[in-house]
């Protein structure tokens, strides 16, 4: 198993922007002296590694659910869960299931303290070899800047938004260790503009790209294979691309550029400024695509995620891994002793086109879709994500049977799926993994940044800037948006017919719809749909549907039905509220549109 060995220091720093007490955490026998912390290289690295440790290890890290369960992709069976509360729109500035304010600022404290103290002459990572010591410090500097960019983006993703007066704001930047005295002066902090936060995150990514290796390989103690799992140049480039994509999105422009008219409705007021941001995002994604080691587009396989090998798939630029049965315990069908926490929706099922024609199933004339056999001949990615009526569960399990009274229906088990579907993506194919007598574990990977996302970022940005088949005026970019989407559909979906693709490429607007759907399919259950819908300003109130399967003689009938309403009734739900306590303590923190 190739794994990174991280040494963690349990919170050394108690200070955050919101509250500071002792700078150093008390120990059982004595207190760590700052000079001791920074003179012992393992402890110094431990300070930085706390910012690694806080990164979620599993994709269902939202109270045991995937964040897709708060979108039209899925729903949760846990009515008491934070994700259900989120899906129902029952959150506020005092009770936000996605609140990460204090956690992020704690990570900034670790990172900034390390940058200020852990790279000086007093800290030796190799006491015998000055060149290796310098190499360690260069790598660690790159890691620190990557981690500050990572947590900065999480703050921007969660709290960035428009205000009542039409500004686009981010979060109060934290670029040095904030002392107790500074933290006490709360009114000295205010939200920086969205663009300024973007520029800082990108600057940190640039430093990371300059300092980090493209990959870890060989036996070198600094940059060798034992360090796989740490940040790399490619991970930093992918994070920079993601940041640029958000920065160009309509939800995060000031009113002078985009104006929100209502749920799912906005107007571009300054087309030149708007397209310029998309062009910047496309150029940044293109730079990543052309980096050494990035490679060609890759179709994700089930064994890249679960029942995986010991070598990290090259597709994953930044990932966590775990060897357990926790995902299966939470999301397997109850028949195989799981709890079916997150289950896919009919909405998502309908989004997968037909493989032979490439047309969506809603096009009854051209798609070739047969409503009597709804799961035959679909895009390859459908089978990566779904267990459906008649699909064999796992490698040697029984077929899924959601017909009333049968083993996978709610009439048989109250914890069974409410949608008629079960999740396949991320889960082991060993249907007996939860057997109480002979339970086993499975190796899983959770891709936090992967190459496919950068391809999608480029396609989206290039289409908005130059249209489906256009390129930048200087001809620098490697692809057109059309070429990227054609490759994705063919390689991942198995779709070789381009007739529908060509029809959608007639305009920027129609191709945007196709790109949004491709992103939905490729990144399903990777916790991106929730934020994508908001940055695109899509309608958030579409009801989640499921399927009811019944028998009519020897035939099966499939009927779509509404399962759960989504009560997002205002444009404030495009943004997350800042914490109430922070706004009360500091009147300079202007909250997002619609939140008090």
């Amino acid at each position: 198993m190739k794994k990174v060995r991280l040494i963690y220091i349990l919170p050394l720093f108690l200070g955050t922007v919101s509250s500071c007490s002792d700078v150093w955490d008390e120990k059982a026998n004595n207190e760590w002296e700052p000079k001791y912390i920074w003179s012992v290289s393992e402890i110094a690295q431990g300070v930085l590694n706390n910012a690694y440790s806080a990164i979620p290890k599993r994709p269902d890290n939202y109270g045991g659910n995937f964040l897709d369960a708060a979108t039209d992709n899925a729903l949760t069976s846990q009515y008491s869960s934070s994700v259900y509360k989120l899906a129902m729109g029952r959150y506020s500035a005092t009770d936000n299931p996605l609140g990460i304010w204090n956690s992020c600022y704690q990570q900034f404290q670790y990172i900034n303290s390390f940058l200020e103290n852990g790279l000086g002459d007093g800290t030796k990572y190799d006491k015998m070899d000055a060149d290796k010591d310098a190499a360690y410090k260069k790598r660690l500097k790159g890691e620190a800047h990557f981690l500050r960019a990572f947590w900065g983006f999480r703050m921007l993703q969660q709290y960035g938004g428009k205000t009542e007066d039409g500004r686009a704001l981010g979060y109060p930047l934290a670029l040095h260790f904030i002392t107790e005295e500074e933290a006490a002066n709360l009114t000295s902090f205010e939200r920086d503009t969205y663009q300024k936060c973007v520029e800082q995150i990108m600057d940190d990514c640039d430093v990371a790209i300059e300092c980090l290796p493209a990959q870890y390989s060989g036996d070198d103690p600094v940059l060798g294979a034992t360090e796989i799992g740490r940040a790399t140049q490619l991970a930093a480039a992918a994070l920079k691309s993601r940041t640029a994509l958000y920065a160009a999105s309509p939800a995060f422009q000031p009113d002078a550029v985009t104006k929100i008219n209502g749920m799912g409705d906005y107007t571009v007021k300054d087309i030149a400024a708007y397209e310029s941001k998309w062009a910047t995002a496309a150029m940044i994604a293109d730079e990543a695509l052309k980096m050494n080691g990035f490679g060609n587009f890759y179709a994700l396989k089930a064994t890249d995620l679960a029942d995986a090998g010991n070598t990290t798939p090259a597709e994953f630029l930044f990932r966590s891994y775990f060897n357990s049965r926790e995902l299966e315990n939470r999301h397997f069908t109850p028949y195989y002793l799981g709890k079916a926490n997150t289950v896919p929706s009919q909405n998502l099922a309908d989004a997968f086109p037909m493989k032979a024609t490439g047309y969506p199933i809603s096009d009854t004339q051209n798609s070739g879709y047969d409503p009597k056999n709804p799961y035959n001949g679909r895009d390859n990615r459908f089978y990566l994500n779904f267990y459906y009526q008649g699909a064999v569960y796992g490698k040697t399990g029984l077929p899924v049977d959601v017909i009333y009274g049968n083993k996978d229906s709610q009439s048989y088990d109250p914890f069974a799926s409410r949608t008629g579907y079960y999740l396949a993506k991320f889960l082991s194919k060993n249907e007996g993994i939860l057997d109480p007598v002979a339970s086993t574990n499975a190796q899983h990977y959770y891709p936090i940044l992967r190459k496919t996302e950068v391809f999608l970022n480029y396609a989206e940005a290039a289409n908005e800037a130059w249209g489906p088949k256009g390129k930048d005026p200087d001809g620098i970019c490697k692809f057109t948006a059309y070429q990227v989407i054609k490759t994705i559909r063919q390689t991942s979906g198995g779709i070789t017919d381009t007739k529908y693709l060509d029809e959608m490429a007639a305009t920027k607007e129609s191709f945007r719809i196709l790109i949004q759907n491709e992103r939905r399919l490729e990144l399903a259950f990777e916790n991106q749909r929730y934020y994508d819908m908001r940055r695109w300003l899509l309608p958030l109130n579409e009801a989640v549907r499921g399927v009811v399967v019944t028998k009519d003689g020897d035939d099966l009938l499939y009927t779509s039905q509404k399962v759960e309403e989504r009560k997002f009734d205002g444009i404030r739900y495009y943004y997350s509220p800042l914490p109430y306590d922070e706004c009360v303590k500091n009147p300079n923190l202007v909250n997002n549109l619609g939140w008090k």
Side-chain angles (χ1 to χ4, degrees):
M1 174 63 60
K2 293 181 178 177
K3 59 183 79 173
V4 60
R5 184 172 66 96
L6 301 180
I7 303 169
Y8 301 113
I9 303 298
L10 294 177
L12 294 173
F13 302 110
L14 296 180
T16 66
V17 169
S18 57
S19 64
C20 279
S21 54
D22 295 334
V23 174
W24 305 110
D25 194 11
E26 262 188 48
K27 303 301 173 185
N29 298 320
N30 55 22
E31 292 188 352
W32 296 114
E33 291 291 339
K35 63 180 181 179
Y36 175 73
I37 289 173
W38 304 115
S39 66
V40 180
S41 61
E42 289 83 0
I43 298 178
Q45 284 194 67
V47 175
L48 180 62
N49 288 340
N50 279 303
Y52 271 119
S53 180
I55 296 172
K57 303 301 186 293
R58 293 183 299 274
D60 64 337
N61 61 81
Y62 297 88
N65 284 278
F66 294 80
L67 189 54
D68 288 52
T71 77
D72 52 1
N73 273 3
L75 51 76
T76 177
S77 60
Q78 294 181 302
Y79 298 114
S80 61
S81 67
S82 58
V83 161
Y84 184 74
K85 182 187 295 185
L86 197 66
M88 294 296 100
R90 297 204 301 260
Y91 59 95
S92 66
T94 58
D95 184 14
N96 184 359
L98 295 180
I100 54 172
W101 186 277
N102 288 340
S103 175
C104 284
Y105 277 106
Q106 182 66 78
Q107 309 321 313
F108 290 147
Q109 290 287 76
Y110 291 132
I111 294 162
N112 289 329
S113 182
F114 179 83
L115 284 170
E116 292 167 14
N117 299 283
L119 300 175
D121 293 339
T123 309
K124 299 292 184 183
Y125 298 95
D126 191 308
K127 294 181 171 64
M128 305 300 294
D129 189 324
D131 290 338
K132 283 186 179 177
D133 181 60
Y136 270 116
K137 286 175 178 173
K138 181 179 180 181
R139 191 199 77 198
L140 290 167
K141 177 182 177 182
E143 290 183 73
H145 281 275
F146 171 83
L147 288 166
R148 190 164 69 181
F150 179 90
W151 289 109
F153 175 78
R154 288 290 290 117
M155 281 293 289
L156 197 62
Q157 183 183 48
Q158 190 56 46
Y159 296 109
K162 285 193 179 187
T163 59
E164 295 284 357
D165 59 6
R167 291 180 293 164
L169 299 182
Y171 59 96
L173 289 169
L175 303 180
H176 67 275
F177 181 82
I178 298 170
T179 66
E180 188 174 351
E181 292 75 19
E182 288 177 290
N185 185 18
L186 289 172
T187 57
S188 65
F189 299 96
E190 62 183 13
R191 295 176 71 184
D192 285 286
T193 67
Y194 195 95
Q195 185 59 33
K196 187 173 181 181
C197 293
V198 165
E199 290 169 358
Q200 179 56 51
I201 293 167
M202 289 186 179
D203 286 346
D204 279 332
C205 287
D206 286 339
V207 174
I209 292 169
E210 180 182 343
C211 295
L212 293 171
Q215 61 181 353
Y216 296 95
S217 61
D219 300 326
D220 184 86
V222 184
L223 305 176
T226 57
E227 305 306 312
I228 289 174
R230 295 183 182 273
T232 64
Q233 287 181 352
L234 295 177
L239 180 57
K240 183 178 179 181
S241 172
R242 182 186 287 182
T243 304
L245 193 78
Y246 273 65
S249 298
F252 304 121
Q253 311 306 316
D255 277 1
V257 179
T258 61
K259 180 69 174 178
I260 305 175
N261 306 316
M263 183 71 73
D265 181 20
Y266 69 94
T267 302
V268 178
K269 309 289 286 186
D270 187 335
I271 295 175
Y274 186 64
E275 291 183 348
S276 176
K277 289 198 173 185
W278 284 113
T280 297
M283 298 297 288
I284 288 171
D286 178 70
E287 289 175 3
L289 293 175
K290 291 189 291 194
M291 288 178 69
N292 182 40
F294 196 91
N296 298 322
F297 180 80
Y298 171 86
L300 192 68
K301 303 191 300 291
T303 51
D304 293 328
L305 300 170
D307 306 314
N310 290 335
T311 302
T312 300
E315 160 73 358
F316 300 163
L317 301 176
F318 192 60
R319 85 319 181 245
S320 63
Y321 71 91
F322 50 99
N323 192 297
S324 75
R325 53 185 175 274
E326 292 181 56
L327 279 176
E328 290 72 25
N329 183 59
R330 287 194 280 265
H331 307 293
F332 259 26
T333 169
Y335 185 82
Y336 291 108
L337 307 180
K339 299 174 183 175
N341 280 10
T342 294
V343 293
S345 67
Q346 184 67 48
N347 312 54
L348 179 60
D350 289 348
F352 289 88
M354 297 301 291
K355 180 176 175 178
T357 64
Y359 278 87
I361 65 171
S362 58
D363 189 332
T364 56
Q365 183 176 352
N366 295 302
S367 67
Y369 173 70
D370 179 3
K372 294 182 179 179
N373 297 285
Y375 310 126
N376 290 352
R378 303 294 289 275
D379 180 309
N380 291 340
R381 294 167 290 188
F382 177 85
Y383 308 103
L384 177 68
N385 285 276
F386 280 81
Y387 281 120
Y388 50 89
Q389 174 68 29
V392 175
Y393 202 88
K395 289 182 178 178
T396 59
L398 299 171
V400 170
D401 194 346
V402 298
I403 297 172
Y404 185 88
N406 292 347
K407 70 179 183 67
D408 298 307
S409 67
Q410 281 199 296
S411 58
Y412 184 88
D413 192 304
F415 293 102
S417 172
R418 291 191 285 148
T419 66
Y421 296 107
Y422 289 94
L423 181 66
K425 191 173 181 179
F426 285 105
L427 300 184
S428 171
K429 293 298 184 288
N430 175 11
E431 81 288 345
I433 194 171
L434 301 179
D435 185 327
V437 176
S439 60
T440 58
N441 291 327
Q443 174 76 5
H444 300 77
Y445 285 103
Y446 171 29
I448 298 167
L449 291 163
R450 64 185 182 101
K451 294 176 180 178
T452 291
E453 182 188 342
V454 183
F455 280 101
L456 289 164
N457 293 349
Y458 176 79
E460 182 181 341
N463 179 62
E464 297 298 331
W466 311 303
K469 296 185 178 181
K471 278 191 176 183
D472 60 291
D474 297 323
I476 295 173
C477 293
K478 189 175 182 180
F479 304 108
T480 64
Y482 177 94
Q483 289 171 324
V484 170
I485 297 302
K486 178 182 177 182
T487 297
I488 291 175
R489 283 166 66 85
Q490 179 174 332
T491 308
S492 267
I495 301 168
T496 57
D497 192 316
T498 64
K499 185 178 178 182
Y500 177 72
L501 179 68
D502 293 336
E503 288 179 9
M504 297 299 282
T507 68
K508 178 188 297 187
E509 290 72 24
S510 58
F511 209 64
R512 177 189 304 141
I513 294 171
L514 178 59
I515 290 170
Q516 289 174 347
N517 195 63
E518 288 298 314
R519 189 176 178 96
R520 181 182 190 179
L521 306 187
E522 281 289 333
L523 303 179
F525 301 102
E526 295 180 35
N527 302 318
Q528 299 223 38
R529 175 81 175 159
Y530 182 89
Y531 296 107
D532 280 344
M533 293 184 75
R534 283 155 177 77
R535 68 180 180 83
W536 287 328
L537 297 173
L538 294 180
L540 303 177
N541 51 7
E542 180 182 350
V544 177
R545 292 176 290 112
V547 65
V548 176
V549 185
T550 55
K551 293 199 74 171
D552 181 16
D554 292 332
D555 296 327
L556 296 181
L557 300 178
Y558 301 85
T559 305
S560 176
Q561 71 168 11
K562 186 186 299 183
V563 179
E564 188 170 280
E565 295 281 1
R566 289 292 155 85
K567 301 176 181 179
F568 298 111
D569 56 1
I571 60 176
R572 68 174 180 158
Y573 289 109
Y574 286 126
Y575 308 111
S576 187
L578 273 64
Y580 175 79
D581 288 347
E582 300 298 325
C583 293
V584 168
K585 289 185 292 186
N586 182 2
N588 289 340
L589 293 180
V590 181
N591 218 325
N592 284 326
L593 182 66
W595 297 101
K596 302 297 184 184

